[in-house]
Amino acid sequence: MNKLRFALIGCGRISKNHIVASAENKDICELVAVCDPVTERAEQKAAQYEELMGVRPAVYADYKKMLEEMEIDCCAIATESGYHAEIALYCIQHGKHVLVEKPMALSTADAEKMIAEAKAHKVTLGVCHQNRFNAPIQQLHKALEDGRFGKLVNGTARILWNRTMPYYEQAPWRGTWAQDGGTLMNQCIHNIDLLQWSLGGEPDTVMAMTGNFLRDIQAEDFGAILIRFKNGAIGIVEGTACVYPKNLEETLSIFGGTGTAVIGGLAVNRVQTWNFEEPAPQDDEVAKINGTDPKDVYGSGHTPLYANYIHAIENGVDPLVSGTEAIKAMKIILAAYKSQKTGQPVKFDDLEFSTLDMQDSDVRWHRG
Protein backbone atom coordinates (compact mmCIF):
# COMPACT_ATOMS: atom_id res chain seq x y z
CA MET A 1 0.00 0.00 0.00
CA ASN A 2 1.02 3.62 -0.36
CA LYS A 3 2.31 5.25 2.79
CA LEU A 4 -0.03 7.75 4.42
CA ARG A 5 1.38 11.26 4.35
CA PHE A 6 1.15 12.83 7.81
CA ALA A 7 1.47 16.43 8.94
CA LEU A 8 2.08 17.31 12.59
CA ILE A 9 0.31 20.47 13.77
CA GLY A 10 1.67 21.68 17.09
CA CYS A 11 5.26 21.08 18.16
CA GLY A 12 5.11 21.38 21.94
CA ARG A 13 5.72 18.95 24.77
CA ILE A 14 3.91 15.87 23.43
CA SER A 15 5.04 16.27 19.81
CA LYS A 16 8.18 14.19 20.30
CA ASN A 17 6.00 11.11 20.79
CA HIS A 18 4.35 11.75 17.42
CA ILE A 19 7.75 12.11 15.78
CA VAL A 20 8.89 8.78 17.21
CA ALA A 21 5.58 7.05 16.43
CA SER A 22 5.64 8.14 12.79
CA ALA A 23 9.26 7.03 12.46
CA GLU A 24 8.56 3.65 14.03
CA ASN A 25 5.68 3.16 11.59
CA LYS A 26 7.86 4.08 8.63
CA ASP A 27 6.54 1.21 6.51
CA ILE A 28 3.00 2.61 6.52
CA CYS A 29 3.37 6.36 7.02
CA GLU A 30 5.73 9.26 6.48
CA LEU A 31 5.87 12.64 8.15
CA VAL A 32 5.98 15.19 5.35
CA ALA A 33 5.35 18.45 7.25
CA VAL A 34 5.49 19.96 10.73
CA CYS A 35 3.70 23.14 11.73
CA ASP A 36 3.82 25.52 14.68
CA PRO A 37 3.35 29.30 14.96
CA VAL A 38 6.70 29.30 16.75
CA THR A 39 8.80 28.22 13.78
CA GLU A 40 11.81 27.47 15.96
CA ARG A 41 9.87 24.65 17.60
CA ALA A 42 8.76 23.32 14.22
CA GLU A 43 12.37 23.40 13.00
CA GLN A 44 13.44 21.40 16.06
CA LYS A 45 10.86 18.71 15.34
CA ALA A 46 11.82 18.59 11.69
CA ALA A 47 15.42 18.05 12.79
CA GLN A 48 14.35 15.31 15.21
CA TYR A 49 12.54 13.43 12.45
CA GLU A 50 15.45 13.95 10.05
CA GLU A 51 17.84 12.48 12.61
CA LEU A 52 15.67 9.37 12.85
CA MET A 53 14.73 8.97 9.19
CA GLY A 54 17.25 10.90 7.11
CA VAL A 55 14.48 12.99 5.52
CA ARG A 56 13.50 16.48 6.66
CA PRO A 57 9.79 17.39 6.71
CA ALA A 58 8.65 20.75 5.37
CA VAL A 59 8.25 23.43 8.05
CA TYR A 60 5.23 25.75 8.30
CA ALA A 61 3.93 28.36 10.71
CA ASP A 62 0.38 28.35 9.27
CA TYR A 63 -1.49 25.04 9.01
CA LYS A 64 -3.98 26.44 6.50
CA LYS A 65 -1.17 27.40 4.14
CA MET A 66 0.40 24.00 4.70
CA LEU A 67 -2.79 22.25 3.62
CA GLU A 68 -3.01 24.44 0.53
CA GLU A 69 0.54 23.70 -0.57
CA MET A 70 1.18 20.12 0.55
CA GLU A 71 -0.32 16.79 -0.42
CA ILE A 72 -1.38 15.47 2.99
CA ASP A 73 -3.55 12.50 3.96
CA CYS A 74 -3.70 12.89 7.72
CA CYS A 75 -3.18 15.68 10.26
CA ALA A 76 -1.93 14.84 13.74
CA ILE A 77 -2.95 17.68 16.05
CA ALA A 78 -0.87 18.30 19.17
CA THR A 79 -1.54 21.96 19.93
CA GLU A 80 -2.90 23.54 23.10
CA SER A 81 -6.12 21.78 24.08
CA GLY A 82 -8.30 24.81 23.37
CA TYR A 83 -7.41 24.74 19.66
CA HIS A 84 -7.99 21.02 19.08
CA ALA A 85 -11.57 21.30 17.87
CA GLU A 86 -11.07 24.37 15.67
CA ILE A 87 -8.07 22.90 13.85
CA ALA A 88 -9.56 19.41 13.65
CA LEU A 89 -12.77 20.70 12.10
CA TYR A 90 -10.85 22.73 9.51
CA CYS A 91 -8.77 19.70 8.53
CA ILE A 92 -11.78 17.37 8.46
CA GLN A 93 -13.75 19.80 6.31
CA HIS A 94 -10.82 19.86 3.89
CA GLY A 95 -10.95 16.09 3.53
CA LYS A 96 -8.11 15.13 5.83
CA HIS A 97 -8.06 12.28 8.31
CA VAL A 98 -7.43 13.60 11.81
CA LEU A 99 -5.60 12.14 14.79
CA VAL A 100 -5.94 14.57 17.69
CA GLU A 101 -4.34 14.67 21.11
CA LYS A 102 -6.50 14.47 24.21
CA PRO A 103 -8.85 16.01 25.06
CA MET A 104 -10.49 15.96 21.63
CA ALA A 105 -12.33 19.18 22.55
CA LEU A 106 -13.34 21.29 25.55
CA SER A 107 -17.10 21.21 24.92
CA THR A 108 -19.65 18.54 24.16
CA ALA A 109 -20.90 20.58 21.19
CA ASP A 110 -17.45 20.74 19.54
CA ALA A 111 -16.73 17.06 20.13
CA GLU A 112 -20.08 16.00 18.70
CA LYS A 113 -19.53 18.25 15.69
CA MET A 114 -16.10 16.69 15.07
CA ILE A 115 -17.66 13.22 15.07
CA ALA A 116 -20.49 14.27 12.76
CA GLU A 117 -18.23 16.15 10.33
CA ALA A 118 -15.78 13.26 10.09
CA LYS A 119 -18.66 10.97 9.16
CA ALA A 120 -20.06 13.48 6.65
CA HIS A 121 -16.68 13.96 4.96
CA LYS A 122 -15.85 10.23 5.12
CA VAL A 123 -12.59 10.69 6.97
CA THR A 124 -11.28 8.89 10.05
CA LEU A 125 -11.17 10.67 13.39
CA GLY A 126 -8.88 9.23 16.06
CA VAL A 127 -7.84 10.47 19.49
CA CYS A 128 -4.61 9.86 21.39
CA HIS A 129 -5.56 7.77 24.40
CA GLN A 130 -2.40 5.76 23.93
CA ASN A 131 -2.46 3.95 27.28
CA ARG A 132 -5.17 1.64 25.91
CA PHE A 133 -2.32 0.00 24.01
CA ASN A 134 -0.20 -0.78 27.09
CA ALA A 135 0.29 -4.55 27.28
CA PRO A 136 -1.17 -4.85 30.83
CA ILE A 137 -4.22 -2.79 29.80
CA GLN A 138 -4.75 -5.00 26.75
CA GLN A 139 -4.61 -8.06 29.00
CA LEU A 140 -7.01 -6.44 31.46
CA HIS A 141 -9.48 -5.77 28.66
CA LYS A 142 -9.17 -9.36 27.43
CA ALA A 143 -9.97 -10.61 30.94
CA LEU A 144 -13.02 -8.33 31.02
CA GLU A 145 -14.22 -9.52 27.62
CA ASP A 146 -13.73 -13.15 28.70
CA GLY A 147 -15.89 -12.55 31.78
CA ARG A 148 -13.15 -13.44 34.25
CA PHE A 149 -14.20 -10.70 36.70
CA GLY A 150 -17.76 -11.98 37.02
CA LYS A 151 -20.17 -9.25 38.05
CA LEU A 152 -18.38 -5.91 37.95
CA VAL A 153 -18.59 -4.04 41.24
CA ASN A 154 -16.36 -1.00 40.98
CA GLY A 155 -13.18 0.47 39.65
CA THR A 156 -10.84 3.25 40.74
CA ALA A 157 -8.57 5.56 38.80
CA ARG A 158 -5.98 7.27 40.99
CA ILE A 159 -3.73 9.93 39.47
CA LEU A 160 -1.60 11.24 42.31
CA TRP A 161 0.79 13.63 40.66
CA ASN A 162 2.69 16.84 41.25
CA ARG A 163 2.53 19.86 38.95
CA THR A 164 4.24 22.93 40.39
CA MET A 165 3.67 26.52 39.35
CA PRO A 166 6.69 26.55 36.98
CA TYR A 167 4.86 23.87 34.96
CA TYR A 168 1.87 26.20 34.54
CA GLU A 169 4.03 29.28 33.99
CA GLN A 170 5.96 27.48 31.24
CA ALA A 171 2.77 27.46 29.13
CA PRO A 172 0.23 30.03 30.37
CA TRP A 173 -2.70 28.29 28.64
CA ARG A 174 -2.47 25.46 31.18
CA GLY A 175 -5.01 25.56 33.96
CA THR A 176 -7.27 28.06 32.19
CA TRP A 177 -10.95 27.41 31.46
CA ALA A 178 -10.61 28.80 27.93
CA GLN A 179 -7.72 26.59 26.81
CA ASP A 180 -7.36 23.66 29.17
CA GLY A 181 -9.38 22.97 32.31
CA GLY A 182 -7.70 21.63 35.42
CA THR A 183 -5.97 18.47 36.51
CA LEU A 184 -8.98 16.28 35.66
CA MET A 185 -8.99 17.37 32.02
CA ASN A 186 -5.24 17.60 31.52
CA GLN A 187 -3.56 15.00 33.72
CA CYS A 188 -6.37 12.55 34.55
CA ILE A 189 -8.25 12.06 31.30
CA HIS A 190 -6.15 9.08 30.16
CA ASN A 191 -6.89 7.04 33.27
CA ILE A 192 -10.53 8.14 33.24
CA ASP A 193 -10.71 6.77 29.70
CA LEU A 194 -9.30 3.45 30.89
CA LEU A 195 -11.74 3.36 33.82
CA GLN A 196 -14.84 3.94 31.71
CA TRP A 197 -13.62 1.52 29.03
CA SER A 198 -13.07 -1.16 31.68
CA LEU A 199 -16.42 -0.68 33.43
CA GLY A 200 -18.55 -1.02 30.32
CA GLY A 201 -18.27 2.33 28.56
CA GLU A 202 -21.80 3.51 29.39
CA PRO A 203 -21.81 6.09 32.20
CA ASP A 204 -25.20 7.02 33.63
CA THR A 205 -24.70 9.58 36.41
CA VAL A 206 -21.71 11.65 37.51
CA MET A 207 -21.15 13.41 40.82
CA ALA A 208 -18.03 15.36 41.74
CA MET A 209 -16.28 17.69 44.12
CA THR A 210 -13.28 19.66 42.90
CA GLY A 211 -11.17 22.44 44.29
CA ASN A 212 -8.16 24.62 43.77
CA PHE A 213 -6.00 24.25 46.85
CA LEU A 214 -2.39 25.13 46.02
CA ARG A 215 -1.81 26.23 42.41
CA ASP A 216 -2.44 29.76 41.20
CA ILE A 217 -4.59 28.74 38.23
CA GLN A 218 -8.25 29.20 37.30
CA ALA A 219 -9.23 25.54 37.30
CA GLU A 220 -8.99 22.71 39.81
CA ASP A 221 -5.78 21.16 41.09
CA PHE A 222 -7.74 18.36 42.81
CA GLY A 223 -10.88 16.50 41.81
CA ALA A 224 -12.89 13.53 43.07
CA ILE A 225 -15.54 11.92 40.85
CA LEU A 226 -18.17 9.22 41.40
CA ILE A 227 -19.58 7.58 38.27
CA ARG A 228 -22.55 5.21 38.21
CA PHE A 229 -22.51 3.11 35.06
CA LYS A 230 -25.59 1.75 33.38
CA ASN A 231 -24.53 -1.80 34.30
CA GLY A 232 -24.56 -0.78 37.97
CA ALA A 233 -20.81 -0.63 38.51
CA ILE A 234 -19.38 2.42 40.28
CA GLY A 235 -16.26 4.24 39.15
CA ILE A 236 -14.17 6.38 41.48
CA VAL A 237 -11.65 8.96 40.29
CA GLU A 238 -9.08 10.64 42.54
CA GLY A 239 -7.00 13.14 40.62
CA THR A 240 -4.53 15.68 41.93
CA ALA A 241 -1.61 17.86 40.93
CA CYS A 242 -0.81 18.59 44.60
CA VAL A 243 1.17 15.55 45.74
CA TYR A 244 4.36 16.55 47.57
CA PRO A 245 7.11 16.52 46.39
CA LYS A 246 6.73 14.56 43.12
CA ASN A 247 4.45 12.16 41.25
CA LEU A 248 3.39 9.31 43.50
CA GLU A 249 1.33 6.92 41.39
CA GLU A 250 -1.11 6.35 38.57
CA THR A 251 -3.17 3.21 39.10
CA LEU A 252 -6.25 1.58 37.64
CA SER A 253 -8.04 -0.97 39.84
CA ILE A 254 -10.94 -3.14 38.70
CA PHE A 255 -12.99 -5.28 41.10
CA GLY A 256 -15.54 -7.98 40.29
CA GLY A 257 -17.15 -10.95 41.96
CA THR A 258 -14.48 -13.36 40.73
CA GLY A 259 -11.53 -11.14 39.92
CA THR A 260 -9.33 -8.27 41.04
CA ALA A 261 -6.70 -6.47 38.97
CA VAL A 262 -4.56 -3.44 39.69
CA ILE A 263 -2.40 -1.86 36.99
CA GLY A 264 0.12 0.76 38.10
CA GLY A 265 3.63 1.89 37.29
CA LEU A 266 4.72 5.19 35.82
CA ALA A 267 2.11 5.12 33.05
CA VAL A 268 -0.33 2.31 34.02
CA ASN A 269 2.15 -0.12 32.51
CA ARG A 270 2.80 -2.62 35.34
CA VAL A 271 0.57 -5.36 36.75
CA GLN A 272 0.51 -4.98 40.53
CA THR A 273 -2.35 -7.37 41.35
CA TRP A 274 -3.83 -10.12 39.18
CA ASN A 275 -6.17 -12.47 41.07
CA PHE A 276 -8.96 -14.55 39.54
CA GLU A 277 -11.13 -17.37 40.83
CA GLU A 278 -10.40 -19.52 37.79
CA PRO A 279 -6.90 -19.74 36.29
CA ALA A 280 -6.46 -19.25 32.54
CA PRO A 281 -3.61 -19.50 30.00
CA GLN A 282 -3.65 -15.70 29.92
CA ASP A 283 -2.13 -15.64 33.41
CA ASP A 284 1.18 -16.97 32.09
CA GLU A 285 1.26 -14.19 29.49
CA VAL A 286 0.59 -11.57 32.15
CA ALA A 287 3.44 -12.88 34.30
CA LYS A 288 5.88 -12.20 31.43
CA ILE A 289 4.97 -8.64 30.48
CA ASN A 290 6.18 -6.61 33.44
CA GLY A 291 9.20 -4.70 32.19
CA THR A 292 10.80 -1.38 32.90
CA ASP A 293 8.88 1.87 33.09
CA PRO A 294 8.82 4.15 30.03
CA LYS A 295 10.86 7.34 29.97
CA ASP A 296 7.96 9.55 31.03
CA VAL A 297 4.25 9.54 31.94
CA TYR A 298 3.27 9.68 28.27
CA GLY A 299 4.26 6.02 28.05
CA SER A 300 5.10 4.21 24.83
CA GLY A 301 1.63 3.76 23.37
CA HIS A 302 1.77 6.29 20.54
CA THR A 303 3.54 3.84 18.21
CA PRO A 304 0.87 1.09 18.38
CA LEU A 305 -1.84 3.77 18.41
CA TYR A 306 -0.50 5.11 15.09
CA ALA A 307 -0.40 1.57 13.68
CA ASN A 308 -3.99 0.89 14.74
CA TYR A 309 -5.18 4.25 13.39
CA ILE A 310 -3.51 3.77 10.00
CA HIS A 311 -4.89 0.23 9.78
CA ALA A 312 -8.36 1.65 10.43
CA ILE A 313 -8.00 4.15 7.58
CA GLU A 314 -6.75 1.53 5.16
CA ASN A 315 -9.53 -0.91 6.03
CA GLY A 316 -12.43 1.50 6.45
CA VAL A 317 -13.06 0.60 10.10
CA ASP A 318 -13.06 2.56 13.35
CA PRO A 319 -9.76 2.88 15.22
CA LEU A 320 -9.68 1.59 18.79
CA VAL A 321 -9.87 5.18 20.03
CA SER A 322 -12.40 6.75 17.69
CA GLY A 323 -14.09 10.07 18.32
CA THR A 324 -17.14 8.17 19.58
CA GLU A 325 -14.95 6.41 22.13
CA ALA A 326 -12.86 9.42 23.14
CA ILE A 327 -15.81 11.70 23.82
CA LYS A 328 -16.77 9.54 26.81
CA ALA A 329 -13.85 10.45 29.10
CA MET A 330 -14.13 14.10 28.07
CA LYS A 331 -17.86 14.10 28.88
CA ILE A 332 -17.25 12.50 32.28
CA ILE A 333 -14.92 15.37 33.14
CA LEU A 334 -17.31 18.02 31.83
CA ALA A 335 -20.09 16.35 33.84
CA ALA A 336 -17.82 16.53 36.88
CA TYR A 337 -17.32 20.25 36.28
CA LYS A 338 -21.08 20.77 35.97
CA SER A 339 -21.63 18.79 39.15
CA GLN A 340 -19.09 20.97 40.96
CA LYS A 341 -20.81 24.08 39.64
CA THR A 342 -24.37 23.02 40.50
CA GLY A 343 -23.75 20.82 43.52
CA GLN A 344 -25.94 18.17 41.89
CA PRO A 345 -25.49 14.80 40.17
CA VAL A 346 -25.41 15.08 36.37
CA LYS A 347 -26.95 12.73 33.82
CA PHE A 348 -24.29 11.73 31.30
CA ASP A 349 -26.50 11.28 28.23
CA ASP A 350 -28.17 14.68 28.55
CA LEU A 351 -24.97 16.66 29.08
CA GLU A 352 -24.32 19.85 27.13
CA PHE A 353 -21.40 21.65 28.75
CA SER A 354 -18.07 23.37 28.12
CA THR A 355 -15.09 24.37 30.20
CA LEU A 356 -16.13 27.94 29.32
CA ASP A 357 -19.27 27.36 31.40
CA MET A 358 -16.94 27.30 34.42
CA GLN A 359 -15.60 30.82 33.80
CA ASP A 360 -17.79 32.31 36.53
CA SER A 361 -17.12 29.47 38.98
CA ASP A 362 -14.51 30.03 41.66
CA VAL A 363 -13.13 26.61 42.62
CA ARG A 364 -10.41 28.02 44.85
CA TRP A 365 -10.63 26.53 48.32
CA HIS A 366 -10.55 29.49 50.66
CA ARG A 367 -7.86 28.88 53.19
CA GLY A 368 -6.92 31.05 56.10
Side-chain angles (χ1 to χ4, degrees), residues 223-301:
I225 311 176
L226 281 174
I227 311 158
R228 170 75 78 175
F229 287 81
K230 291 179 181 178
N231 60 12
I234 295 175
I236 304 166
V237 178
E238 179 186 8
T240 181
C242 296
V243 171
Y244 177 84
K246 61 182 180 180
N247 288 2
L248 182 62
E249 66 174 87
E250 180 179 13
T251 54
L252 174 71
S253 306
I254 303 297
F255 304 94
T258 57
T260 295
V262 180
I263 315 296
L266 182 65
V268 281
N269 59 287
R270 286 176 175 268
V271 178
Q272 295 181 344
T273 301
W274 189 264
N275 295 323
F276 292 94
E277 183 176 81
E278 296 293 335
Q282 177 190 22
D283 299 334
D284 293 331
E285 299 175 33
V286 171
K288 298 175 183 176
I289 60 176
N290 274 338
T292 58
D293 281 326
K295 294 179 181 178
D296 54 43
V297 295
Y298 299 132
S300 53

Side-chain angles (χ1 to χ4, degrees), residues 69-82:
E69 296 182 354
M70 297 284 295
E71 182 184 337
I72 291 165
D73 300 308
C74 177
C75 296
I77 300 170
T79 62
E80 299 91 333
S81 299

Side-chain angles (χ1 to χ4, degrees), residues 97-302:
H97 302 290
V98 165
L99 179 62
V100 63
E101 270 296 332
K102 60 76 186 169
M104 62 185 294
L106 295 180
S107 74
T108 53
D110 280 346
E112 289 164 358
K113 186 174 182 181
M114 288 164 65
I115 294 167
E117 288 290 295
K119 183 177 181 179
H121 288 83
K122 298 181 180 178
V123 297
T124 301
L125 172 62
V127 183
C128 293
H129 283 301
Q130 70 273 5
N131 287 346
R132 286 197 185 194
F133 294 89
N134 292 356
I137 297 298
Q138 289 281 307
Q139 292 288 353
L140 171 67
H141 203 68
K142 182 178 187 302
L144 287 160
E145 289 181 328
D146 291 346
R148 297 189 68 194
F149 284 88
K151 184 176 180 61
L152 286 173
V153 178
N154 73 291
T156 62
R158 303 183 78 211
I159 308 93
L160 308 183
W161 284 359
N162 172 279
R163 292 294 183 270
T164 59
M165 278 312 299
Y167 164 83
Y168 294 101
E169 291 162 353
Q170 180 188 42
W173 61 272
R174 293 176 182 153
T176 65
W177 291 123
Q179 292 292 324
D180 186 16
T183 191
L184 291 174
M185 190 66 86
N186 195 318
Q187 282 77 43
C188 303
I189 192 170
H190 284 301
N191 213 0
I192 292 171
D193 173 67
L194 297 180
L195 178 69
Q196 67 82 21
W197 191 41
S198 299
L199 291 183
E202 293 188 335
D204 179 74
T205 307
V206 177
M207 298 177 64
M209 289 186 182
T210 73
N212 180 298
F213 291 86
L214 301 179
R215 309 303 177 224
D216 186 18
I217 58 175
Q218 286 183 322
E220 84 286 349
D221 56 20
F222 175 87
I225 311 176
L226 281 174
I227 311 158
R228 170 75 78 175
F229 287 81
K230 291 179 181 178
N231 60 12
I234 295 175
I236 304 166
V237 178
E238 179 186 8
T240 181
C242 296
V243 171
Y244 177 84
K246 61 182 180 180
N247 288 2
L248 182 62
E249 66 174 87
E250 180 179 13
T251 54
L252 174 71
S253 306
I254 303 297
F255 304 94
T258 57
T260 295
V262 180
I263 315 296
L266 182 65
V268 281
N269 59 287
R270 286 176 175 268
V271 178
Q272 295 181 344
T273 301
W274 189 264
N275 295 323
F276 292 94
E277 183 176 81
E278 296 293 335
Q282 177 190 22
D283 299 334
D284 293 331
E285 299 175 33
V286 171
K288 298 175 183 176
I289 60 176
N290 274 338
T292 58
D293 281 326
K295 294 179 181 178
D296 54 43
V297 295
Y298 299 132
S300 53
H302 276 82

